[in-house]
Amino acid sequence: MAKLSLFERRRRRVRTTLKANSGTRPRLSIHRSGKHIYAQVIDDAQGHTLAAASTLDKDVRGKVGSNSAAAADVGKRVAEAATKAGVTRVVFDRGGFLFHGRVKALADAAREAGLEF
């Protein structure tokens, strides 16, 4: 059996911590690819996505690429959508990604736009 990659190890560690601490709060989950960044607020109890935003949205597509400015824009958009859905407090799920660069920019913008985590 092959060893797990560092990414998979971080992902499992983050998910275990989230399950222990989540309680009744929804989860702000992010995914970062080479070209885009995605964020969604998920209610794990019901298995529904409450709000989502990405650099693939029609009004954003073509304007921004995969950089910190784009991530900050996605963070702001997902926070606004979550607020419209009645969510103000979330648990931040960074997946297996390091909290640096685009991930940090998205988190900071979401906090400034009104999400608490």
Side-chain angles (χ1 to χ4, degrees), residues 57-92:
D57 291 344
K58 287 186 179 183
D59 51 346
V60 180
R61 185 184 292 174
K63 295 181 188 174
V64 294
S66 180
N67 54 25
S68 293
D73 188 36
V74 170
K76 185 179 119 183
R77 288 174 180 277
V78 76
E80 290 171 355
T83 304
K84 285 182 184 176
V87 176
T88 56
R89 300 188 71 208
V90 296
V91 177
F92 188 66

PDB file of all heavy atoms in Angstrom, residues 57-92:
ATOM      1  N   ASP A  57     -18.236  31.936 -12.780  1.00  0.00           N
ATOM      2  CA  ASP A  57     -19.527  32.610 -12.866  1.00  0.00           C
ATOM      3  C   ASP A  57     -19.553  33.519 -14.089  1.00  0.00           C
ATOM      4  O   ASP A  57     -18.541  34.112 -14.464  1.00  0.00           O
ATOM      5  CB  ASP A  57     -19.783  33.433 -11.596  1.00  0.00           C
ATOM      6  CG  ASP A  57     -20.002  32.561 -10.381  1.00  0.00           C
ATOM      7  OD1 ASP A  57     -20.254  31.349 -10.558  1.00  0.00           O
ATOM      8  OD2 ASP A  57     -19.915  33.088  -9.258  1.00  0.00           O
ATOM      9  N   LYS A  58     -20.720  33.644 -14.714  1.00  0.00           N
ATOM     10  CA  LYS A  58     -20.830  34.368 -15.978  1.00  0.00           C
ATOM     11  C   LYS A  58     -20.390  35.829 -15.878  1.00  0.00           C
ATOM     12  O   LYS A  58     -19.766  36.352 -16.782  1.00  0.00           O
ATOM     13  CB  LYS A  58     -22.265  34.311 -16.491  1.00  0.00           C
ATOM     14  CG  LYS A  58     -22.636  32.961 -17.030  1.00  0.00           C
ATOM     15  CD  LYS A  58     -24.000  32.966 -17.648  1.00  0.00           C
ATOM     16  CE  LYS A  58     -24.320  31.590 -18.199  1.00  0.00           C
ATOM     17  NZ  LYS A  58     -25.608  31.561 -18.879  1.00  0.00           N
ATOM     18  N   ASP A  59     -20.738  36.509 -14.773  1.00  0.00           N
ATOM     19  CA  ASP A  59     -20.370  37.915 -14.657  1.00  0.00           C
ATOM     20  C   ASP A  59     -18.907  38.116 -14.286  1.00  0.00           C
ATOM     21  O   ASP A  59     -18.400  39.234 -14.333  1.00  0.00           O
ATOM     22  CB  ASP A  59     -21.273  38.630 -13.650  1.00  0.00           C
ATOM     23  CG  ASP A  59     -21.347  37.899 -12.328  1.00  0.00           C
ATOM     24  OD1 ASP A  59     -20.925  36.743 -12.271  1.00  0.00           O
ATOM     25  OD2 ASP A  59     -21.828  38.498 -11.351  1.00  0.00           O
ATOM     26  N   VAL A  60     -18.181  37.063 -13.940  1.00  0.00           N
ATOM     27  CA  VAL A  60     -16.772  37.157 -13.574  1.00  0.00           C
ATOM     28  C   VAL A  60     -15.880  36.601 -14.673  1.00  0.00           C
ATOM     29  O   VAL A  60     -14.759  37.049 -14.858  1.00  0.00           O
ATOM     30  CB  VAL A  60     -16.499  36.389 -12.251  1.00  0.00           C
ATOM     31  CG1 VAL A  60     -15.048  36.478 -11.864  1.00  0.00           C
ATOM     32  CG2 VAL A  60     -17.375  36.918 -11.144  1.00  0.00           C
ATOM     33  N   ARG A  61     -16.379  35.636 -15.402  1.00  0.00           N
ATOM     34  CA  ARG A  61     -15.585  34.939 -16.410  1.00  0.00           C
ATOM     35  C   ARG A  61     -14.980  35.924 -17.411  1.00  0.00           C
ATOM     36  O   ARG A  61     -15.650  36.812 -17.909  1.00  0.00           O
ATOM     37  CB  ARG A  61     -16.454  33.935 -17.153  1.00  0.00           C
ATOM     38  CG  ARG A  61     -15.668  33.082 -18.132  1.00  0.00           C
ATOM     39  CD  ARG A  61     -16.565  32.178 -18.898  1.00  0.00           C
ATOM     40  NE  ARG A  61     -17.132  31.176 -17.987  1.00  0.00           N
ATOM     41  CZ  ARG A  61     -18.047  30.306 -18.355  1.00  0.00           C
ATOM     42  NH1 ARG A  61     -18.526  30.325 -19.568  1.00  0.00           N
ATOM     43  NH2 ARG A  61     -18.501  29.426 -17.494  1.00  0.00           N
ATOM     44  N   GLY A  62     -13.704  35.779 -17.690  1.00  0.00           N
ATOM     45  CA  GLY A  62     -13.024  36.634 -18.646  1.00  0.00           C
ATOM     46  C   GLY A  62     -12.371  37.844 -18.008  1.00  0.00           C
ATOM     47  O   GLY A  62     -11.404  38.371 -18.529  1.00  0.00           O
ATOM     48  N   LYS A  63     -12.888  38.310 -16.884  1.00  0.00           N
ATOM     49  CA  LYS A  63     -12.311  39.476 -16.219  1.00  0.00           C
ATOM     50  C   LYS A  63     -11.076  39.112 -15.418  1.00  0.00           C
ATOM     51  O   LYS A  63     -10.103  39.850 -15.397  1.00  0.00           O
ATOM     52  CB  LYS A  63     -13.329  40.118 -15.268  1.00  0.00           C
ATOM     53  CG  LYS A  63     -14.529  40.711 -15.928  1.00  0.00           C
ATOM     54  CD  LYS A  63     -15.419  41.319 -14.876  1.00  0.00           C
ATOM     55  CE  LYS A  63     -16.736  41.768 -15.445  1.00  0.00           C
ATOM     56  NZ  LYS A  63     -17.653  42.237 -14.417  1.00  0.00           N
ATOM     57  N   VAL A  64     -11.155  37.981 -14.715  1.00  0.00           N
ATOM     58  CA  VAL A  64     -10.087  37.629 -13.785  1.00  0.00           C
ATOM     59  C   VAL A  64      -9.558  36.242 -14.098  1.00  0.00           C
ATOM     60  O   VAL A  64     -10.228  35.422 -14.709  1.00  0.00           O
ATOM     61  CB  VAL A  64     -10.592  37.654 -12.332  1.00  0.00           C
ATOM     62  CG1 VAL A  64     -10.953  39.063 -11.926  1.00  0.00           C
ATOM     63  CG2 VAL A  64     -11.770  36.736 -12.133  1.00  0.00           C
ATOM     64  N   GLY A  65      -8.361  35.980 -13.649  1.00  0.00           N
ATOM     65  CA  GLY A  65      -7.778  34.656 -13.810  1.00  0.00           C
ATOM     66  C   GLY A  65      -7.686  33.975 -12.468  1.00  0.00           C
ATOM     67  O   GLY A  65      -8.513  34.191 -11.593  1.00  0.00           O
ATOM     68  N   SER A  66      -6.663  33.198 -12.306  1.00  0.00           N
ATOM     69  CA  SER A  66      -6.473  32.478 -11.052  1.00  0.00           C
ATOM     70  C   SER A  66      -5.391  33.178 -10.250  1.00  0.00           C
ATOM     71  O   SER A  66      -4.239  32.767 -10.242  1.00  0.00           O
ATOM     72  CB  SER A  66      -6.091  31.035 -11.343  1.00  0.00           C
ATOM     73  OG  SER A  66      -5.916  30.351 -10.136  1.00  0.00           O
ATOM     74  N   ASN A  67      -5.765  34.276  -9.601  1.00  0.00           N
ATOM     75  CA  ASN A  67      -4.815  35.002  -8.778  1.00  0.00           C
ATOM     76  C   ASN A  67      -5.487  35.432  -7.480  1.00  0.00           C
ATOM     77  O   ASN A  67      -6.659  35.142  -7.245  1.00  0.00           O
ATOM     78  CB  ASN A  67      -4.247  36.207  -9.537  1.00  0.00           C
ATOM     79  CG  ASN A  67      -5.322  37.116 -10.075  1.00  0.00           C
ATOM     80  OD1 ASN A  67      -6.425  37.160  -9.545  1.00  0.00           O
ATOM     81  ND2 ASN A  67      -5.012  37.862 -11.120  1.00  0.00           N
ATOM     82  N   SER A  68      -4.760  36.129  -6.637  1.00  0.00           N
ATOM     83  CA  SER A  68      -5.300  36.522  -5.331  1.00  0.00           C
ATOM     84  C   SER A  68      -6.461  37.491  -5.460  1.00  0.00           C
ATOM     85  O   SER A  68      -7.399  37.451  -4.671  1.00  0.00           O
ATOM     86  CB  SER A  68      -4.194  37.134  -4.476  1.00  0.00           C
ATOM     87  OG  SER A  68      -3.245  36.160  -4.157  1.00  0.00           O
ATOM     88  N   ALA A  69      -6.422  38.357  -6.459  1.00  0.00           N
ATOM     89  CA  ALA A  69      -7.527  39.298  -6.665  1.00  0.00           C
ATOM     90  C   ALA A  69      -8.806  38.549  -7.035  1.00  0.00           C
ATOM     91  O   ALA A  69      -9.894  38.880  -6.557  1.00  0.00           O
ATOM     92  CB  ALA A  69      -7.171  40.301  -7.756  1.00  0.00           C
ATOM     93  N   ALA A  70      -8.676  37.537  -7.875  1.00  0.00           N
ATOM     94  CA  ALA A  70      -9.830  36.726  -8.253  1.00  0.00           C
ATOM     95  C   ALA A  70     -10.366  35.969  -7.053  1.00  0.00           C
ATOM     96  O   ALA A  70     -11.579  35.878  -6.845  1.00  0.00           O
ATOM     97  CB  ALA A  70      -9.448  35.751  -9.370  1.00  0.00           C
ATOM     98  N   ALA A  71      -9.466  35.448  -6.225  1.00  0.00           N
ATOM     99  CA  ALA A  71      -9.884  34.713  -5.031  1.00  0.00           C
ATOM    100  C   ALA A  71     -10.606  35.632  -4.059  1.00  0.00           C
ATOM    101  O   ALA A  71     -11.606  35.245  -3.446  1.00  0.00           O
ATOM    102  CB  ALA A  71      -8.675  34.073  -4.358  1.00  0.00           C
ATOM    103  N   ALA A  72     -10.129  36.855  -3.922  1.00  0.00           N
ATOM    104  CA  ALA A  72     -10.787  37.817  -3.037  1.00  0.00           C
ATOM    105  C   ALA A  72     -12.185  38.145  -3.557  1.00  0.00           C
ATOM    106  O   ALA A  72     -13.138  38.258  -2.774  1.00  0.00           O
ATOM    107  CB  ALA A  72      -9.946  39.086  -2.924  1.00  0.00           C
ATOM    108  N   ASP A  73     -12.326  38.261  -4.861  1.00  0.00           N
ATOM    109  CA  ASP A  73     -13.636  38.530  -5.450  1.00  0.00           C
ATOM    110  C   ASP A  73     -14.589  37.364  -5.189  1.00  0.00           C
ATOM    111  O   ASP A  73     -15.757  37.567  -4.836  1.00  0.00           O
ATOM    112  CB  ASP A  73     -13.490  38.770  -6.953  1.00  0.00           C
ATOM    113  CG  ASP A  73     -14.777  39.233  -7.593  1.00  0.00           C
ATOM    114  OD1 ASP A  73     -15.522  40.000  -6.940  1.00  0.00           O
ATOM    115  OD2 ASP A  73     -15.057  38.833  -8.733  1.00  0.00           O
ATOM    116  N   VAL A  74     -14.108  36.143  -5.324  1.00  0.00           N
ATOM    117  CA  VAL A  74     -14.933  34.956  -5.066  1.00  0.00           C
ATOM    118  C   VAL A  74     -15.327  34.904  -3.588  1.00  0.00           C
ATOM    119  O   VAL A  74     -16.469  34.589  -3.253  1.00  0.00           O
ATOM    120  CB  VAL A  74     -14.201  33.668  -5.492  1.00  0.00           C
ATOM    121  CG1 VAL A  74     -14.927  32.431  -5.005  1.00  0.00           C
ATOM    122  CG2 VAL A  74     -14.063  33.624  -7.007  1.00  0.00           C
ATOM    123  N   GLY A  75     -14.403  35.231  -2.700  1.00  0.00           N
ATOM    124  CA  GLY A  75     -14.703  35.260  -1.273  1.00  0.00           C
ATOM    125  C   GLY A  75     -15.800  36.252  -0.934  1.00  0.00           C
ATOM    126  O   GLY A  75     -16.706  35.960  -0.141  1.00  0.00           O
ATOM    127  N   LYS A  76     -15.717  37.427  -1.546  1.00  0.00           N
ATOM    128  CA  LYS A  76     -16.745  38.449  -1.326  1.00  0.00           C
ATOM    129  C   LYS A  76     -18.096  37.980  -1.850  1.00  0.00           C
ATOM    130  O   LYS A  76     -19.120  38.123  -1.187  1.00  0.00           O
ATOM    131  CB  LYS A  76     -16.323  39.750  -2.018  1.00  0.00           C
ATOM    132  CG  LYS A  76     -17.233  40.914  -1.778  1.00  0.00           C
ATOM    133  CD  LYS A  76     -16.701  42.133  -2.486  1.00  0.00           C
ATOM    134  CE  LYS A  76     -17.745  42.557  -3.478  1.00  0.00           C
ATOM    135  NZ  LYS A  76     -17.385  43.680  -4.315  1.00  0.00           N
ATOM    136  N   ARG A  77     -18.095  37.384  -3.032  1.00  0.00           N
ATOM    137  CA  ARG A  77     -19.345  36.916  -3.643  1.00  0.00           C
ATOM    138  C   ARG A  77     -19.996  35.784  -2.854  1.00  0.00           C
ATOM    139  O   ARG A  77     -21.210  35.771  -2.668  1.00  0.00           O
ATOM    140  CB  ARG A  77     -19.099  36.465  -5.075  1.00  0.00           C
ATOM    141  CG  ARG A  77     -18.828  37.592  -6.021  1.00  0.00           C
ATOM    142  CD  ARG A  77     -18.451  37.057  -7.396  1.00  0.00           C
ATOM    143  NE  ARG A  77     -18.179  38.127  -8.307  1.00  0.00           N
ATOM    144  CZ  ARG A  77     -19.125  38.787  -8.975  1.00  0.00           C
ATOM    145  NH1 ARG A  77     -20.380  38.450  -8.829  1.00  0.00           N
ATOM    146  NH2 ARG A  77     -18.813  39.763  -9.779  1.00  0.00           N
ATOM    147  N   VAL A  78     -19.208  34.834  -2.367  1.00  0.00           N
ATOM    148  CA  VAL A  78     -19.788  33.721  -1.619  1.00  0.00           C
ATOM    149  C   VAL A  78     -20.314  34.215  -0.273  1.00  0.00           C
ATOM    150  O   VAL A  78     -21.339  33.732   0.213  1.00  0.00           O
ATOM    151  CB  VAL A  78     -18.801  32.546  -1.464  1.00  0.00           C
ATOM    152  CG1 VAL A  78     -17.743  32.810  -0.438  1.00  0.00           C
ATOM    153  CG2 VAL A  78     -19.547  31.266  -1.140  1.00  0.00           C
ATOM    154  N   ALA A  79     -19.654  35.200   0.325  1.00  0.00           N
ATOM    155  CA  ALA A  79     -20.138  35.755   1.589  1.00  0.00           C
ATOM    156  C   ALA A  79     -21.467  36.481   1.392  1.00  0.00           C
ATOM    157  O   ALA A  79     -22.385  36.359   2.217  1.00  0.00           O
ATOM    158  CB  ALA A  79     -19.103  36.698   2.182  1.00  0.00           C
ATOM    159  N   GLU A  80     -21.588  37.220   0.306  1.00  0.00           N
ATOM    160  CA  GLU A  80     -22.852  37.912   0.008  1.00  0.00           C
ATOM    161  C   GLU A  80     -23.974  36.912  -0.243  1.00  0.00           C
ATOM    162  O   GLU A  80     -25.103  37.090   0.238  1.00  0.00           O
ATOM    163  CB  GLU A  80     -22.674  38.831  -1.196  1.00  0.00           C
ATOM    164  CG  GLU A  80     -21.800  40.032  -0.907  1.00  0.00           C
ATOM    165  CD  GLU A  80     -21.440  40.817  -2.155  1.00  0.00           C
ATOM    166  OE1 GLU A  80     -21.793  40.362  -3.279  1.00  0.00           O
ATOM    167  OE2 GLU A  80     -20.801  41.863  -2.018  1.00  0.00           O
ATOM    168  N   ALA A  81     -23.683  35.855  -0.992  1.00  0.00           N
ATOM    169  CA  ALA A  81     -24.695  34.837  -1.275  1.00  0.00           C
ATOM    170  C   ALA A  81     -25.102  34.100  -0.002  1.00  0.00           C
ATOM    171  O   ALA A  81     -26.279  33.790   0.196  1.00  0.00           O
ATOM    172  CB  ALA A  81     -24.168  33.852  -2.312  1.00  0.00           C
ATOM    173  N   ALA A  82     -24.137  33.842   0.876  1.00  0.00           N
ATOM    174  CA  ALA A  82     -24.443  33.163   2.138  1.00  0.00           C
ATOM    175  C   ALA A  82     -25.292  34.053   3.036  1.00  0.00           C
ATOM    176  O   ALA A  82     -26.214  33.570   3.701  1.00  0.00           O
ATOM    177  CB  ALA A  82     -23.156  32.771   2.852  1.00  0.00           C
ATOM    178  N   THR A  83     -25.000  35.338   3.059  1.00  0.00           N
ATOM    179  CA  THR A  83     -25.782  36.265   3.867  1.00  0.00           C
ATOM    180  C   THR A  83     -27.222  36.330   3.365  1.00  0.00           C
ATOM    181  O   THR A  83     -28.155  36.353   4.168  1.00  0.00           O
ATOM    182  CB  THR A  83     -25.145  37.671   3.833  1.00  0.00           C
ATOM    183  OG1 THR A  83     -23.781  37.559   4.267  1.00  0.00           O
ATOM    184  CG2 THR A  83     -25.878  38.619   4.755  1.00  0.00           C
ATOM    185  N   LYS A  84     -27.404  36.310   2.048  1.00  0.00           N
ATOM    186  CA  LYS A  84     -28.757  36.288   1.482  1.00  0.00           C
ATOM    187  C   LYS A  84     -29.494  35.009   1.868  1.00  0.00           C
ATOM    188  O   LYS A  84     -30.709  35.010   2.025  1.00  0.00           O
ATOM    189  CB  LYS A  84     -28.704  36.404  -0.038  1.00  0.00           C
ATOM    190  CG  LYS A  84     -28.397  37.789  -0.522  1.00  0.00           C
ATOM    191  CD  LYS A  84     -28.400  37.844  -2.025  1.00  0.00           C
ATOM    192  CE  LYS A  84     -27.999  39.218  -2.523  1.00  0.00           C
ATOM    193  NZ  LYS A  84     -27.914  39.264  -3.991  1.00  0.00           N
ATOM    194  N   ALA A  85     -28.745  33.917   2.027  1.00  0.00           N
ATOM    195  CA  ALA A  85     -29.348  32.636   2.410  1.00  0.00           C
ATOM    196  C   ALA A  85     -29.549  32.532   3.922  1.00  0.00           C
ATOM    197  O   ALA A  85     -30.049  31.528   4.412  1.00  0.00           O
ATOM    198  CB  ALA A  85     -28.477  31.481   1.927  1.00  0.00           C
ATOM    199  N   GLY A  86     -29.134  33.564   4.668  1.00  0.00           N
ATOM    200  CA  GLY A  86     -29.344  33.582   6.109  1.00  0.00           C
ATOM    201  C   GLY A  86     -28.224  32.954   6.922  1.00  0.00           C
ATOM    202  O   GLY A  86     -28.409  32.609   8.076  1.00  0.00           O
ATOM    203  N   VAL A  87     -27.049  32.826   6.335  1.00  0.00           N
ATOM    204  CA  VAL A  87     -25.911  32.224   7.025  1.00  0.00           C
ATOM    205  C   VAL A  87     -24.898  33.313   7.351  1.00  0.00           C
ATOM    206  O   VAL A  87     -24.478  34.066   6.464  1.00  0.00           O
ATOM    207  CB  VAL A  87     -25.241  31.154   6.137  1.00  0.00           C
ATOM    208  CG1 VAL A  87     -24.007  30.592   6.808  1.00  0.00           C
ATOM    209  CG2 VAL A  87     -26.219  30.055   5.817  1.00  0.00           C
ATOM    210  N   THR A  88     -24.520  33.408   8.633  1.00  0.00           N
ATOM    211  CA  THR A  88     -23.499  34.383   9.014  1.00  0.00           C
ATOM    212  C   THR A  88     -22.277  33.726   9.643  1.00  0.00           C
ATOM    213  O   THR A  88     -21.194  34.280   9.604  1.00  0.00           O
ATOM    214  CB  THR A  88     -24.055  35.414  10.010  1.00  0.00           C
ATOM    215  OG1 THR A  88     -24.577  34.727  11.143  1.00  0.00           O
ATOM    216  CG2 THR A  88     -25.139  36.250   9.360  1.00  0.00           C
ATOM    217  N   ARG A  89     -22.445  32.534  10.231  1.00  0.00           N
ATOM    218  CA  ARG A  89     -21.328  31.835  10.867  1.00  0.00           C
ATOM    219  C   ARG A  89     -21.094  30.509  10.157  1.00  0.00           C
ATOM    220  O   ARG A  89     -22.029  29.744   9.958  1.00  0.00           O
ATOM    221  CB  ARG A  89     -21.612  31.587  12.346  1.00  0.00           C
ATOM    222  CG  ARG A  89     -21.839  32.880  13.113  1.00  0.00           C
ATOM    223  CD  ARG A  89     -21.936  32.642  14.586  1.00  0.00           C
ATOM    224  NE  ARG A  89     -20.606  32.294  15.082  1.00  0.00           N
ATOM    225  CZ  ARG A  89     -20.395  31.517  16.150  1.00  0.00           C
ATOM    226  NH1 ARG A  89     -21.406  30.990  16.802  1.00  0.00           N
ATOM    227  NH2 ARG A  89     -19.169  31.261  16.552  1.00  0.00           N
ATOM    228  N   VAL A  90     -19.845  30.262   9.783  1.00  0.00           N
ATOM    229  CA  VAL A  90     -19.487  29.034   9.076  1.00  0.00           C
ATOM    230  C   VAL A  90     -18.216  28.445   9.676  1.00  0.00           C
ATOM    231  O   VAL A  90     -17.544  29.075  10.490  1.00  0.00           O
ATOM    232  CB  VAL A  90     -19.253  29.294   7.563  1.00  0.00           C
ATOM    233  CG1 VAL A  90     -20.522  29.756   6.886  1.00  0.00           C
ATOM    234  CG2 VAL A  90     -18.132  30.280   7.350  1.00  0.00           C
ATOM    235  N   VAL A  91     -17.904  27.234   9.249  1.00  0.00           N
ATOM    236  CA  VAL A  91     -16.635  26.582   9.563  1.00  0.00           C
ATOM    237  C   VAL A  91     -15.840  26.553   8.267  1.00  0.00           C
ATOM    238  O   VAL A  91     -16.362  26.159   7.229  1.00  0.00           O
ATOM    239  CB  VAL A  91     -16.865  25.149  10.086  1.00  0.00           C
ATOM    240  CG1 VAL A  91     -15.556  24.453  10.334  1.00  0.00           C
ATOM    241  CG2 VAL A  91     -17.708  25.172  11.336  1.00  0.00           C
ATOM    242  N   PHE A  92     -14.582  26.987   8.306  1.00  0.00           N
ATOM    243  CA  PHE A  92     -13.769  27.099   7.093  1.00  0.00           C
ATOM    244  C   PHE A  92     -13.094  25.764   6.785  1.00  0.00           C
ATOM    245  O   PHE A  92     -12.330  25.233   7.585  1.00  0.00           O
ATOM    246  CB  PHE A  92     -12.713  28.192   7.263  1.00  0.00           C
ATOM    247  CG  PHE A  92     -11.975  28.506   6.005  1.00  0.00           C
ATOM    248  CD1 PHE A  92     -12.621  29.070   4.927  1.00  0.00           C
ATOM    249  CD2 PHE A  92     -10.631  28.237   5.901  1.00  0.00           C
ATOM    250  CE1 PHE A  92     -11.945  29.377   3.764  1.00  0.00           C
ATOM    251  CE2 PHE A  92      -9.938  28.534   4.741  1.00  0.00           C
ATOM    252  CZ  PHE A  92     -10.601  29.106   3.675  1.00  0.00           C
TER     253      PHE A  92
END
